[in-house]
Amino acid sequence: MIRFLAPARSRRESATRREFLRIGSVAGLGALGLARGVSGNDGPLGPGFGKARSVILVYANGGQSQFETWDPKPEAPREIRGDFEAIASSVPGTMVCEHLPKLASLADRYTILRSVSHDDLDHGSAAYLTLTGRYHPRKSSNPLPSPNDFPTLGAVLKRARPSESTPYTAAHINMPVVVPELPAPGQDGGFLGRADAPLVVGDPTDPEGSLPDLELPDSVPTVRMEARRTLLEAIERARREAFGISGTDEHQAMYHHAYELLSDPSVRQAFDLAAEPDRVQERYGRFRSGQSCLLARRLVEAGVPWITVSWNHSARGQDRRPDELDWLGWDTHNDIFDVMKQLLPRFDHSLSALLEDLDHRGLLDDTLVVCMGEFGRAPRVALEPRFTGASPGRKHWANAYSILVAGGGTTPGAVVGATDRMGAYPTSDRVGPWDVAATMFASLGVNPSAEYRDPLNRPFPVTIGKPITALYG
């Protein structure tokens, strides 16, 4: 796999990234390149099936609070509702947090789903649940990535229905995510290996990040590159014959992707954020998460079917770098209101820009946008002595939390599901992350219950959930 990661800023960070990348290489050993595709994919399958050409999953790493975003409780006691007020949105009767004024004005372009629920209470395993649609064997823990993990959702799409128009079926932007310092599982190809793993882009604002690696050096003209490719193919044929490898193995697949990236100017241009007018870059925000959203839009235009954007690469970076806004995370055990006063305006600025831009360009109708964390935050505001910070916050809460869904044929301006007066439990339309995953696959025209096969020819369902039909009215 080709990855474009910003340079590590510390020895520890470099080591953890190397470990994350190593997992992919181990997972791919022995891959025999079985036929791709799925069985049992006869459609149509309910409302919204096949309406989207691309999915953008905006992942709010750390557990975004539903109270301070999409499900405020203005009538609840102060220790429940918190310090922030609720404001009216462009949809009568729908209220959101006061620090989301731009998104409030766009409420007629998205749906709020307030009844997502599960029972995994730690970041690593809950991130795995969000990014794979399946519980980790070690629920409520922080396990390291493993070659035996289920593949991330974008890798499943590549195995089930690889893109025919772009070199990569899936891309991860502003990733890998760390919780808080080690990579969470569920971000790579898992048992499918490296050949099916998404393209990983680190910090898109880093000048040494992606673009230099996409350009051929002056010493390697096109003719010379093709000569090298011919030589490599001959070596690969000899290797496969020597080891008795039939079909296309993961080495060939990765080399193929690499050459496609180097030879296809449209792919290279998609990563050139400098090509965007200054006003567009400013509208998204000239910071890490803002430029990540801008790159996601450009990849949609380039035809990439699955794009996962981590809103923040660190779940709780404020403990390590409190003065760097790019490191703020949603894991606000303490100091929730101090952190949110800085984090929410950026979130409001950039996510609203993404939705507006997609809509303005006529891309929102066939792009499904989902913004979600791995869980929400607890109803009661309280100080947790074990965590950094002097003022109260909210602990992990998975019993009920909210997500945003837009485009892809979904009904805009709606609210699906509800929680009790304390925001603690769903009172209607309870769904899980597995159902969100099923909805995303169905929107792309992939039957969630269809089967794909791993390198050992074992069948697995694309997801274990059901599409959320209420999102389509």
mmCIF file of all heavy atoms in Angstrom, residues 38-52 161 408-409 434-435 437-451 461-470 472:
data_model
loop_
_atom_site.group_PDB
_atom_site.id
_atom_site.type_symbol
_atom_site.label_atom_id
_atom_site.label_comp_id
_atom_site.label_asym_id
_atom_site.label_seq_id
_atom_site.Cartn_x
_atom_site.Cartn_y
_atom_site.Cartn_z
ATOM 1 N N VAL A 38 -19.042 -9.975 -4.826
ATOM 2 C CA VAL A 38 -19.887 -10.552 -3.798
ATOM 3 C C VAL A 38 -20.903 -11.491 -4.432
ATOM 4 O O VAL A 38 -21.184 -11.423 -5.623
ATOM 5 C CB VAL A 38 -20.646 -9.446 -3.012
ATOM 6 C CG1 VAL A 38 -19.693 -8.622 -2.179
ATOM 7 C CG2 VAL A 38 -21.441 -8.548 -3.966
ATOM 8 N N SER A 39 -21.430 -12.386 -3.608
ATOM 9 C CA SER A 39 -22.519 -13.251 -4.039
ATOM 10 C C SER A 39 -23.787 -12.829 -3.319
ATOM 11 O O SER A 39 -23.736 -12.374 -2.183
ATOM 12 C CB SER A 39 -22.197 -14.712 -3.711
ATOM 13 O OG SER A 39 -21.944 -14.880 -2.329
ATOM 14 N N GLY A 40 -24.915 -12.964 -3.986
ATOM 15 C CA GLY A 40 -26.183 -12.560 -3.383
ATOM 16 C C GLY A 40 -26.365 -11.069 -3.379
ATOM 17 O O GLY A 40 -26.818 -10.501 -2.388
ATOM 18 N N ASN A 41 -26.014 -10.389 -4.487
ATOM 19 C CA ASN A 41 -26.107 -8.936 -4.540
ATOM 20 C C ASN A 41 -27.209 -8.483 -5.486
ATOM 21 O O ASN A 41 -27.081 -7.474 -6.156
ATOM 22 C CB ASN A 41 -24.769 -8.337 -4.984
ATOM 23 C CG ASN A 41 -24.707 -6.835 -4.745
ATOM 24 O OD1 ASN A 41 -25.279 -6.341 -3.794
ATOM 25 N ND2 ASN A 41 -24.013 -6.126 -5.622
ATOM 26 N N ASP A 42 -28.281 -9.242 -5.579
ATOM 27 C CA ASP A 42 -29.376 -8.855 -6.451
ATOM 28 C C ASP A 42 -30.154 -7.707 -5.815
ATOM 29 O O ASP A 42 -30.571 -7.773 -4.673
ATOM 30 C CB ASP A 42 -30.320 -10.033 -6.691
ATOM 31 C CG ASP A 42 -29.624 -11.179 -7.431
ATOM 32 O OD1 ASP A 42 -28.681 -10.865 -8.180
ATOM 33 O OD2 ASP A 42 -30.013 -12.343 -7.244
ATOM 34 N N GLY A 43 -30.359 -6.635 -6.544
ATOM 35 C CA GLY A 43 -31.108 -5.483 -6.058
ATOM 36 C C GLY A 43 -32.359 -5.326 -6.886
ATOM 37 O O GLY A 43 -32.635 -6.131 -7.773
ATOM 38 N N PRO A 44 -33.165 -4.299 -6.644
ATOM 39 C CA PRO A 44 -32.919 -3.257 -5.660
ATOM 40 C C PRO A 44 -33.193 -3.725 -4.230
ATOM 41 O O PRO A 44 -33.821 -4.750 -4.022
ATOM 42 C CB PRO A 44 -33.896 -2.153 -6.075
ATOM 43 C CG PRO A 44 -35.021 -2.888 -6.712
ATOM 44 C CD PRO A 44 -34.391 -4.056 -7.422
ATOM 45 N N LEU A 45 -32.724 -2.954 -3.261
ATOM 46 C CA LEU A 45 -32.848 -3.351 -1.867
ATOM 47 C C LEU A 45 -33.297 -2.156 -1.038
ATOM 48 O O LEU A 45 -32.513 -1.493 -0.384
ATOM 49 C CB LEU A 45 -31.519 -3.877 -1.344
ATOM 50 C CG LEU A 45 -31.530 -4.443 0.071
ATOM 51 C CD1 LEU A 45 -32.281 -5.763 0.103
ATOM 52 C CD2 LEU A 45 -30.117 -4.639 0.580
ATOM 53 N N GLY A 46 -34.580 -1.831 -1.079
ATOM 54 C CA GLY A 46 -35.120 -0.798 -0.222
ATOM 55 C C GLY A 46 -34.812 0.610 -0.685
ATOM 56 O O GLY A 46 -34.084 0.824 -1.651
ATOM 57 N N PRO A 47 -35.344 1.606 0.025
ATOM 58 C CA PRO A 47 -35.143 3.006 -0.349
ATOM 59 C C PRO A 47 -33.679 3.416 -0.230
ATOM 60 O O PRO A 47 -32.975 2.996 0.686
ATOM 61 C CB PRO A 47 -36.011 3.762 0.658
ATOM 62 C CG PRO A 47 -36.142 2.843 1.826
ATOM 63 C CD PRO A 47 -36.156 1.467 1.242
ATOM 64 N N GLY A 48 -33.241 4.212 -1.168
ATOM 65 C CA GLY A 48 -31.876 4.709 -1.138
ATOM 66 C C GLY A 48 -30.846 3.783 -1.716
ATOM 67 O O GLY A 48 -29.675 4.154 -1.852
ATOM 68 N N PHE A 49 -31.234 2.556 -2.073
ATOM 69 C CA PHE A 49 -30.260 1.587 -2.567
ATOM 70 C C PHE A 49 -29.658 2.063 -3.886
ATOM 71 O O PHE A 49 -30.360 2.355 -4.847
ATOM 72 C CB PHE A 49 -30.923 0.228 -2.774
ATOM 73 C CG PHE A 49 -29.965 -0.876 -3.142
ATOM 74 C CD1 PHE A 49 -29.172 -1.460 -2.173
ATOM 75 C CD2 PHE A 49 -29.852 -1.318 -4.444
ATOM 76 C CE1 PHE A 49 -28.290 -2.482 -2.485
ATOM 77 C CE2 PHE A 49 -28.976 -2.322 -4.782
ATOM 78 C CZ PHE A 49 -28.181 -2.912 -3.801
ATOM 79 N N GLY A 50 -28.349 2.181 -3.911
ATOM 80 C CA GLY A 50 -27.651 2.570 -5.127
ATOM 81 C C GLY A 50 -27.761 4.031 -5.492
ATOM 82 O O GLY A 50 -27.389 4.422 -6.609
ATOM 83 N N LYS A 51 -28.230 4.883 -4.573
ATOM 84 C CA LYS A 51 -28.383 6.298 -4.890
ATOM 85 C C LYS A 51 -27.060 7.055 -4.877
ATOM 86 O O LYS A 51 -26.940 8.126 -5.462
ATOM 87 C CB LYS A 51 -29.334 6.956 -3.883
ATOM 88 C CG LYS A 51 -30.777 6.456 -3.942
ATOM 89 C CD LYS A 51 -31.460 6.916 -5.208
ATOM 90 C CE LYS A 51 -32.940 6.550 -5.191
ATOM 91 N NZ LYS A 51 -33.618 6.974 -6.433
ATOM 92 N N ALA A 52 -26.071 6.531 -4.183
ATOM 93 C CA ALA A 52 -24.802 7.244 -4.027
ATOM 94 C C ALA A 52 -23.706 6.643 -4.898
ATOM 95 O O ALA A 52 -23.669 5.434 -5.123
ATOM 96 C CB ALA A 52 -24.363 7.230 -2.566
ATOM 97 N N ARG A 161 -16.494 -4.742 -4.273
ATOM 98 C CA ARG A 161 -16.725 -4.083 -5.551
ATOM 99 C C ARG A 161 -15.632 -3.044 -5.797
ATOM 100 O O ARG A 161 -15.823 -1.850 -5.573
ATOM 101 C CB ARG A 161 -18.096 -3.409 -5.589
ATOM 102 C CG ARG A 161 -18.560 -3.068 -7.015
ATOM 103 C CD ARG A 161 -19.859 -2.291 -6.994
ATOM 104 N NE ARG A 161 -19.677 -0.973 -6.382
ATOM 105 C CZ ARG A 161 -20.695 -0.182 -6.051
ATOM 106 N NH1 ARG A 161 -21.933 -0.583 -6.228
ATOM 107 N NH2 ARG A 161 -20.464 1.000 -5.508
ATOM 108 N N GLY A 408 -27.055 11.499 -0.728
ATOM 109 C CA GLY A 408 -27.225 10.107 -1.099
ATOM 110 C C GLY A 408 -28.664 9.644 -1.129
ATOM 111 O O GLY A 408 -28.935 8.461 -0.922
ATOM 112 N N GLY A 409 -29.601 10.546 -1.354
ATOM 113 C CA GLY A 409 -31.002 10.167 -1.398
ATOM 114 C C GLY A 409 -31.721 10.207 -0.076
ATOM 115 O O GLY A 409 -32.925 9.925 -0.015
ATOM 116 N N TRP A 434 -23.465 -1.053 13.229
ATOM 117 C CA TRP A 434 -23.580 -2.052 12.166
ATOM 118 C C TRP A 434 -24.676 -1.665 11.164
ATOM 119 O O TRP A 434 -24.547 -1.923 9.967
ATOM 120 C CB TRP A 434 -23.850 -3.422 12.780
ATOM 121 C CG TRP A 434 -24.860 -3.390 13.881
ATOM 122 C CD1 TRP A 434 -26.219 -3.495 13.777
ATOM 123 C CD2 TRP A 434 -24.586 -3.182 15.279
ATOM 124 N NE1 TRP A 434 -26.815 -3.381 14.997
ATOM 125 C CE2 TRP A 434 -25.851 -3.188 15.946
ATOM 126 C CE3 TRP A 434 -23.418 -3.008 16.024
ATOM 127 C CZ2 TRP A 434 -25.962 -3.024 17.332
ATOM 128 C CZ3 TRP A 434 -23.537 -2.845 17.396
ATOM 129 C CH2 TRP A 434 -24.784 -2.851 18.035
ATOM 130 N N ASP A 435 -25.733 -1.010 11.655
ATOM 131 C CA ASP A 435 -26.795 -0.552 10.768
ATOM 132 C C ASP A 435 -26.355 0.665 9.951
ATOM 133 O O ASP A 435 -26.756 0.823 8.788
ATOM 134 C CB ASP A 435 -28.045 -0.211 11.576
ATOM 135 C CG ASP A 435 -28.591 -1.402 12.351
ATOM 136 O OD1 ASP A 435 -28.727 -2.487 11.736
ATOM 137 O OD2 ASP A 435 -28.857 -1.258 13.553
ATOM 138 N N ALA A 437 -23.292 1.124 9.000
ATOM 139 C CA ALA A 437 -22.437 0.520 7.966
ATOM 140 C C ALA A 437 -23.293 -0.069 6.844
ATOM 141 O O ALA A 437 -22.993 0.112 5.652
ATOM 142 C CB ALA A 437 -21.552 -0.565 8.580
ATOM 143 N N ALA A 438 -24.362 -0.772 7.198
ATOM 144 C CA ALA A 438 -25.241 -1.361 6.192
ATOM 145 C C ALA A 438 -25.866 -0.281 5.320
ATOM 146 O O ALA A 438 -26.028 -0.452 4.098
ATOM 147 C CB ALA A 438 -26.333 -2.190 6.868
ATOM 148 N N THR A 439 -26.216 0.836 5.918
ATOM 149 C CA THR A 439 -26.800 1.946 5.166
ATOM 150 C C THR A 439 -25.809 2.501 4.157
ATOM 151 O O THR A 439 -26.171 2.810 3.010
ATOM 152 C CB THR A 439 -27.251 3.055 6.131
ATOM 153 O OG1 THR A 439 -28.164 2.508 7.096
ATOM 154 C CG2 THR A 439 -27.929 4.186 5.387
ATOM 155 N N MET A 440 -24.560 2.635 4.555
ATOM 156 C CA MET A 440 -23.547 3.175 3.647
ATOM 157 C C MET A 440 -23.319 2.239 2.471
ATOM 158 O O MET A 440 -23.212 2.676 1.311
ATOM 159 C CB MET A 440 -22.254 3.455 4.418
ATOM 160 C CG MET A 440 -22.389 4.603 5.414
ATOM 161 S SD MET A 440 -20.826 5.134 6.175
ATOM 162 C CE MET A 440 -20.572 3.815 7.369
ATOM 163 N N PHE A 441 -23.220 0.937 2.732
ATOM 164 C CA PHE A 441 -23.039 -0.012 1.634
ATOM 165 C C PHE A 441 -24.255 -0.031 0.717
ATOM 166 O O PHE A 441 -24.124 -0.035 -0.506
ATOM 167 C CB PHE A 441 -22.756 -1.415 2.175
ATOM 168 C CG PHE A 441 -21.325 -1.619 2.576
ATOM 169 C CD1 PHE A 441 -20.968 -1.697 3.910
ATOM 170 C CD2 PHE A 441 -20.339 -1.730 1.612
ATOM 171 C CE1 PHE A 441 -19.640 -1.877 4.285
ATOM 172 C CE2 PHE A 441 -19.008 -1.920 1.971
ATOM 173 C CZ PHE A 441 -18.666 -1.990 3.306
ATOM 174 N N ALA A 442 -25.454 -0.048 1.302
ATOM 175 C CA ALA A 442 -26.663 -0.069 0.481
ATOM 176 C C ALA A 442 -26.755 1.173 -0.391
ATOM 177 O O ALA A 442 -27.188 1.105 -1.548
ATOM 178 C CB ALA A 442 -27.898 -0.188 1.371
ATOM 179 N N SER A 443 -26.327 2.323 0.148
ATOM 180 C CA SER A 443 -26.391 3.555 -0.635
ATOM 181 C C SER A 443 -25.518 3.471 -1.877
ATOM 182 O O SER A 443 -25.803 4.099 -2.896
ATOM 183 C CB SER A 443 -25.969 4.754 0.220
ATOM 184 O OG SER A 443 -24.568 4.763 0.447
ATOM 185 N N LEU A 444 -24.449 2.675 -1.795
ATOM 186 C CA LEU A 444 -23.545 2.482 -2.937
ATOM 187 C C LEU A 444 -24.014 1.366 -3.863
ATOM 188 O O LEU A 444 -23.367 1.088 -4.874
ATOM 189 C CB LEU A 444 -22.132 2.183 -2.445
ATOM 190 C CG LEU A 444 -21.408 3.329 -1.732
ATOM 191 C CD1 LEU A 444 -20.114 2.831 -1.093
ATOM 192 C CD2 LEU A 444 -21.110 4.471 -2.702
ATOM 193 N N GLY A 445 -25.117 0.712 -3.515
ATOM 194 C CA GLY A 445 -25.627 -0.365 -4.353
ATOM 195 C C GLY A 445 -25.021 -1.717 -4.045
ATOM 196 O O GLY A 445 -25.066 -2.626 -4.885
ATOM 197 N N VAL A 446 -24.469 -1.885 -2.850
ATOM 198 C CA VAL A 446 -23.927 -3.171 -2.416
ATOM 199 C C VAL A 446 -24.858 -3.740 -1.351
ATOM 200 O O VAL A 446 -25.065 -3.117 -0.305
ATOM 201 C CB VAL A 446 -22.497 -3.025 -1.847
ATOM 202 C CG1 VAL A 446 -21.984 -4.365 -1.335
ATOM 203 C CG2 VAL A 446 -21.550 -2.462 -2.897
ATOM 204 N N ASN A 447 -25.401 -4.890 -1.601
ATOM 205 C CA ASN A 447 -26.304 -5.527 -0.645
ATOM 206 C C ASN A 447 -25.545 -5.828 0.647
ATOM 207 O O ASN A 447 -24.565 -6.576 0.633
ATOM 208 C CB ASN A 447 -26.853 -6.828 -1.237
ATOM 209 C CG ASN A 447 -27.943 -7.446 -0.378
ATOM 210 O OD1 ASN A 447 -27.994 -7.248 0.830
ATOM 211 N ND2 ASN A 447 -28.822 -8.203 -1.010
ATOM 212 N N PRO A 448 -25.947 -5.250 1.775
ATOM 213 C CA PRO A 448 -25.210 -5.477 3.027
ATOM 214 C C PRO A 448 -25.142 -6.936 3.446
ATOM 215 O O PRO A 448 -24.223 -7.337 4.174
ATOM 216 C CB PRO A 448 -25.994 -4.648 4.049
ATOM 217 C CG PRO A 448 -26.733 -3.636 3.255
ATOM 218 C CD PRO A 448 -27.069 -4.320 1.960
ATOM 219 N N SER A 449 -26.095 -7.754 3.025
ATOM 220 C CA SER A 449 -26.091 -9.159 3.417
ATOM 221 C C SER A 449 -25.394 -10.053 2.395
ATOM 222 O O SER A 449 -25.312 -11.277 2.589
ATOM 223 C CB SER A 449 -27.520 -9.652 3.632
ATOM 224 O OG SER A 449 -28.277 -9.561 2.438
ATOM 225 N N ALA A 450 -24.897 -9.458 1.308
ATOM 226 C CA ALA A 450 -24.132 -10.236 0.335
ATOM 227 C C ALA A 450 -22.833 -10.720 0.972
ATOM 228 O O ALA A 450 -22.385 -10.195 1.994
ATOM 229 C CB ALA A 450 -23.842 -9.402 -0.902
ATOM 230 N N GLU A 451 -22.215 -11.724 0.365
ATOM 231 C CA GLU A 451 -20.985 -12.289 0.916
ATOM 232 C C GLU A 451 -19.779 -11.970 0.044
ATOM 233 O O GLU A 451 -19.869 -11.970 -1.183
ATOM 234 C CB GLU A 451 -21.112 -13.814 1.047
ATOM 235 C CG GLU A 451 -22.082 -14.258 2.117
ATOM 236 C CD GLU A 451 -22.106 -15.770 2.268
ATOM 237 O OE1 GLU A 451 -21.631 -16.469 1.339
ATOM 238 O OE2 GLU A 451 -22.587 -16.255 3.303
ATOM 239 N N PRO A 461 -20.367 -11.999 5.459
ATOM 240 C CA PRO A 461 -21.323 -10.991 5.002
ATOM 241 C C PRO A 461 -20.675 -9.609 4.981
ATOM 242 O O PRO A 461 -19.828 -9.302 5.821
ATOM 243 C CB PRO A 461 -22.446 -11.067 6.046
ATOM 244 C CG PRO A 461 -21.800 -11.636 7.256
ATOM 245 C CD PRO A 461 -20.726 -12.571 6.764
ATOM 246 N N VAL A 462 -21.071 -8.804 4.023
ATOM 247 C CA VAL A 462 -20.526 -7.453 3.928
ATOM 248 C C VAL A 462 -20.725 -6.715 5.244
ATOM 249 O O VAL A 462 -19.814 -6.055 5.749
ATOM 250 C CB VAL A 462 -21.188 -6.697 2.755
ATOM 251 C CG1 VAL A 462 -20.821 -5.221 2.786
ATOM 252 C CG2 VAL A 462 -20.767 -7.315 1.421
ATOM 253 N N THR A 463 -21.910 -6.808 5.821
ATOM 254 C CA THR A 463 -22.165 -6.254 7.151
ATOM 255 C C THR A 463 -23.096 -7.209 7.895
ATOM 256 O O THR A 463 -23.651 -8.141 7.311
ATOM 257 C CB THR A 463 -22.855 -4.870 7.097
ATOM 258 O OG1 THR A 463 -24.188 -5.018 6.638
ATOM 259 C CG2 THR A 463 -22.108 -3.905 6.211
ATOM 260 N N ILE A 464 -23.277 -6.934 9.175
ATOM 261 C CA ILE A 464 -24.219 -7.706 9.972
ATOM 262 C C ILE A 464 -25.437 -6.862 10.340
ATOM 263 O O ILE A 464 -26.282 -7.288 11.120
ATOM 264 C CB ILE A 464 -23.554 -8.243 11.253
ATOM 265 C CG1 ILE A 464 -22.988 -7.095 12.096
ATOM 266 C CG2 ILE A 464 -22.485 -9.259 10.917
ATOM 267 C CD1 ILE A 464 -22.470 -7.530 13.457
ATOM 268 N N GLY A 465 -25.525 -5.659 9.760
ATOM 269 C CA GLY A 465 -26.621 -4.763 10.076
ATOM 270 C C GLY A 465 -27.652 -4.695 8.965
ATOM 271 O O GLY A 465 -27.567 -5.392 7.949
ATOM 272 N N LYS A 466 -28.633 -3.810 9.155
ATOM 273 C CA LYS A 466 -29.687 -3.570 8.188
ATOM 274 C C LYS A 466 -29.727 -2.087 7.856
ATOM 275 O O LYS A 466 -29.546 -1.242 8.746
ATOM 276 C CB LYS A 466 -31.038 -4.022 8.735
ATOM 277 C CG LYS A 466 -31.131 -5.513 8.991
ATOM 278 C CD LYS A 466 -32.510 -5.894 9.523
ATOM 279 C CE LYS A 466 -32.607 -7.397 9.762
ATOM 280 N NZ LYS A 466 -33.950 -7.778 10.291
ATOM 281 N N PRO A 467 -29.982 -1.732 6.607
ATOM 282 C CA PRO A 467 -30.070 -0.318 6.253
ATOM 283 C C PRO A 467 -31.146 0.394 7.070
ATOM 284 O O PRO A 467 -32.205 -0.168 7.374
ATOM 285 C CB PRO A 467 -30.442 -0.343 4.767
ATOM 286 C CG PRO A 467 -29.955 -1.667 4.274
ATOM 287 C CD PRO A 467 -30.142 -2.614 5.439
ATOM 288 N N ILE A 468 -30.875 1.650 7.416
ATOM 289 C CA ILE A 468 -31.790 2.444 8.225
ATOM 290 C C ILE A 468 -32.769 3.124 7.278
ATOM 291 O O ILE A 468 -32.526 4.238 6.787
ATOM 292 C CB ILE A 468 -31.020 3.455 9.092
ATOM 293 C CG1 ILE A 468 -29.951 2.744 9.934
ATOM 294 C CG2 ILE A 468 -31.984 4.228 10.016
ATOM 295 C CD1 ILE A 468 -28.976 3.670 10.616
ATOM 296 N N THR A 469 -33.863 2.473 7.004
ATOM 297 C CA THR A 469 -34.802 2.975 5.996
ATOM 298 C C THR A 469 -35.462 4.277 6.422
ATOM 299 O O THR A 469 -35.891 5.072 5.575
ATOM 300 C CB THR A 469 -35.888 1.923 5.715
ATOM 301 O OG1 THR A 469 -36.549 1.579 6.935
ATOM 302 C CG2 THR A 469 -35.270 0.660 5.120
ATOM 303 N N ALA A 470 -35.527 4.552 7.739
ATOM 304 C CA ALA A 470 -36.156 5.787 8.210
ATOM 305 C C ALA A 470 -35.411 7.024 7.736
ATOM 306 O O ALA A 470 -35.983 8.114 7.674
ATOM 307 C CB ALA A 470 -36.225 5.783 9.734
ATOM 308 N N TYR A 472 -34.659 7.632 4.849
ATOM 309 C CA TYR A 472 -35.148 7.960 3.526
ATOM 310 C C TYR A 472 -36.637 8.318 3.520
ATOM 311 O O TYR A 472 -37.304 8.282 2.502
ATOM 312 C CB TYR A 472 -34.905 6.764 2.586
ATOM 313 C CG TYR A 472 -33.438 6.434 2.472
ATOM 314 C CD1 TYR A 472 -32.836 5.545 3.359
ATOM 315 C CD2 TYR A 472 -32.632 7.056 1.516
ATOM 316 C CE1 TYR A 472 -31.477 5.263 3.274
ATOM 317 C CE2 TYR A 472 -31.278 6.782 1.434
ATOM 318 C CZ TYR A 472 -30.709 5.883 2.313
ATOM 319 O OH TYR A 472 -29.356 5.610 2.249
#
